[in-house]
Amino acid sequence: MTDVLLDTHCHLDAYPDPSHILAGATTAGVELVAVTNSPDNYRRMATLLPRSGPARAALGLHPLSAERLGMGGVLRFSRHAADAAWIGEIGLDFSPAGRDTRTTQLRIFDALLALPQLQDRPVTVHTRGADRIAVQRLADAGIRAVLHWYTGPLDVADDALAAGLHFSINPAMLASAKGRTLLAKLPHDRVLFETDGPHTRRAGQPCEPANLPDMVENLAQLWEVTAAQIHTQICANQRRIIGDTTASPE
């Protein structure tokens, strides 16, 4: 990866026409990480996407799927982990949607963090409503994690920075007061881009990787630097923190 922007968190399989999304990303000069919510979804996505190129499948087990997938899901996850260049989406969700499965989520998350494969590749993590616990567990495990669409307390963001974690930001964060407050305090070298498409929207339409160049302009205005500086910084962050995502795993 040189000067190509990367959407580090995109639900490619959730779009009605993934091939159209891929074509738009290519035209915009953007690469993407196709996160998944389960090992079975990863297996299907990895079959569809080439091992190298502008899109890469990520191996996931979403916290809201933890109760349904159980430890059998962790076993299937572990079988794919050696082949996955990216891990995600995993994490914890203690919002009302996931509050009743908190105990199971913690057991599954701890089991995933114990897998040795998570030590040597990027991991994109969901922390909604469970930010403090998730950050502490990631720090204890020494995982090279990216916090996806972080909405937690600013003091926990400080803890995450102290633990060496990073943050992926999306158009919804750039458009919200809370997101802009977080971005005002984040070191510029700890920020990556995501869309979380199609679950975020822009001008009434689902976000897609092709929107990343617009994010460069918006972040440049917020940070009061040039768009060229933002592009250079984000690409440097990708190279340094995540590495060459275009290379096939060994």
Side-chain angles (χ1 to χ4, degrees), residues 147-167:
L147 302 183
H148 138 69
W149 198 344
Y150 181 82
T151 59
L154 292 181
D155 67 313
V156 178
D158 288 335
D159 293 341
L161 292 170
L165 305 183
H166 298 79
F167 295 76

Side-chain angles (χ1 to χ4, degrees), residues 15-36:
Y15 289 95
D17 187 354
S19 62
H20 174 75
I21 300 302
L22 284 172
T26 299
T27 298
V30 172
E31 298 185 354
L32 66 96
V33 177
V35 296
T36 58

